[in-house]
């Protein structure tokens, strides 16, 4: 899709056009979720949260509702509203398990890993991030890796002074995103890899990864927002 390929401005325009005209009600959740994710990618997090609240006011099946709640938790974390993010993720996680939505479950676990890490519990955060990647690995066709769970695992490994393992996790996540056509999150992987290179003293590699990150973010119309490991 336009969103996954990094064409965020086009994805936003198409989603808004669909939502503004008469359309199949069953398509509303899909279009609004695409719009929400696109707004997150463009750094317009408050707008993304409003779309999640609009969806919450509608009659949705649990499968759609939990996906919105998971992405809402992630957006709240990116805004630094960590307590609200953790509460939202904790509520959505068991529902994701109940309905069998691995992607929503991964997003919840990754969000909880981020909040836990920022609270100083690096070991607990690593356990959560490892669980997120394990769940994504079990998803059909590895589709849950469309959300950058390996970004969180790599960051948590870095925090636990396991630098080489962290870089390996980030490289795997980047390759999976490329393989799945989920290019939107590639800038974040390059940024996290740059941090690892910096900490290892590989200055030239760090600069190269940063340059690639900025070039892709500019190409996709992304804003590098929120908390990055």
């Amino acid at each position: 899709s336009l969103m996954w390929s990094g064409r965020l401005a086009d994805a936003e325009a198409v989603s808004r056009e669909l939502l503004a005209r008469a359309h199949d009600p069953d398509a509303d959740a899909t279009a609004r979720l695409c719009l929400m994710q696109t707004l997150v990618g463009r750094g317009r997090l408050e707008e993304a949260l409003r779309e999640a609240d609009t969806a919450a006011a509608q009659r949705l099946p649990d499968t759609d509702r939990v996906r919105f709640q998971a992405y809402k938790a992630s957006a709240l974390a990116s805004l630094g509203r960590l307590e609200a993010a953790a509460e939202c993720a904790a509520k959505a996680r068991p529902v994701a398990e109940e309905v069998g939505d691995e992607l929503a479950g991964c997003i919840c676990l990754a969000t909880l890993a981020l909040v836990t890490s920022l609270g100083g519990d690096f070991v607990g955060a690593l356990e959560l991030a490892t669980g997120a990647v394990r769940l994504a690995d079990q998803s059909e066709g590895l589709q849950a890796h469309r959300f950058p769970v390996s970004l969180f695992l790599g960051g948590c490994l870095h925090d636990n002074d396991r630098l080489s393992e962290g870089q390996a996790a980030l490289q795997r996540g980047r390759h999976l995103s490329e393989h799945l056509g989920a290019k939107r999150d590639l800038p974040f992987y390059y940024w996290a890899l740059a941090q690892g290179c910096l900490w290892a003293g590989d200055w030239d590699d760090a600069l190269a990864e940063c340059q690639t990150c900025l070039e892709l973010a500019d190409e996709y119309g992304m804003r590098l927002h929120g908390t990055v490991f």
Side-chain angles (χ1 to χ4, degrees):
S1 72
L2 295 172
M3 178 193 65
W4 291 118
S5 65
R7 296 171 58 187
L8 300 182
D10 292 337
E12 179 181 352
V14 170
S15 298
R16 289 194 184 281
E17 180 185 359
L18 176 61
L19 291 168
R21 59 180 168 82
H23 58 273
D24 183 347
D26 292 338
D28 189 277
T30 300
R32 197 171 300 280
L33 187 61
C34 178
L35 176 58
M36 181 185 178
Q37 294 176 73
T38 299
L39 291 169
V40 168
R42 304 190 77 185
R44 291 151 57 189
L45 297 167
E46 293 287 0
E47 290 181 65
L49 290 174
R50 285 196 291 272
E51 293 298 332
D53 290 339
T54 297
Q58 299 174 348
R59 298 181 62 181
L60 295 174
D62 287 342
T63 50
D64 289 333
R65 188 173 298 279
V66 73
R67 189 73 63 90
F68 275 105
Q69 288 301 106
Y71 276 108
K72 179 179 180 179
S74 180
L76 286 167
S78 293
L79 273 171
R81 294 165 58 182
L82 302 182
E83 184 175 343
E87 181 180 352
C88 188
K91 287 182 178 179
R93 181 183 172 188
V95 180
E97 292 178 358
E98 183 179 339
V99 300
D101 189 334
E102 289 96 349
L103 177 57
C106 287
I107 297 169
C108 291
L109 283 168
T111 301
L112 290 169
L114 174 58
V115 174
T116 302
S117 176
L118 293 173
D121 182 3
F122 297 151
V123 174
L126 179 56
E127 292 177 357
L128 288 162
T130 299
V133 171
R134 184 183 302 117
L135 182 59
D137 286 345
Q138 296 170 356
S139 63
E140 185 176 355
L142 301 176
Q143 288 296 309
H145 277 283
R146 286 181 174 271
F147 185 80
V149 288
S150 294
L151 179 70
F152 296 82
L153 177 58
C156 287
L157 286 164
H158 285 172
D159 286 339
N160 282 274
D161 295 323
R162 295 163 62 176
L163 188 58
S164 61
E165 292 174 79
Q167 294 295 88
L170 293 169
Q171 291 282 11
R172 179 177 184 250
R174 185 181 68 180
H175 292 318
L176 282 169
S177 290
E178 292 171 340
H179 174 71
L180 294 168
K183 297 181 180 180
R184 182 195 62 177
D185 293 309
L186 289 178
F188 291 112
Y189 277 114
Y190 281 103
W191 176 250
L193 285 164
Q195 288 182 311
C197 291
L198 182 66
W199 294 331
D202 299 328
W203 313 115
D204 290 341
D205 289 341
L207 285 171
E209 300 285 13
C210 276
Q211 186 63 36
T212 303
C213 166
L214 293 173
E215 288 174 356
L216 287 175
D218 181 64
E219 177 185 342
Y220 299 163
M222 286 184 66
R223 178 182 173 189
L224 298 175
H225 55 80
T227 304
V228 179
F229 281 104

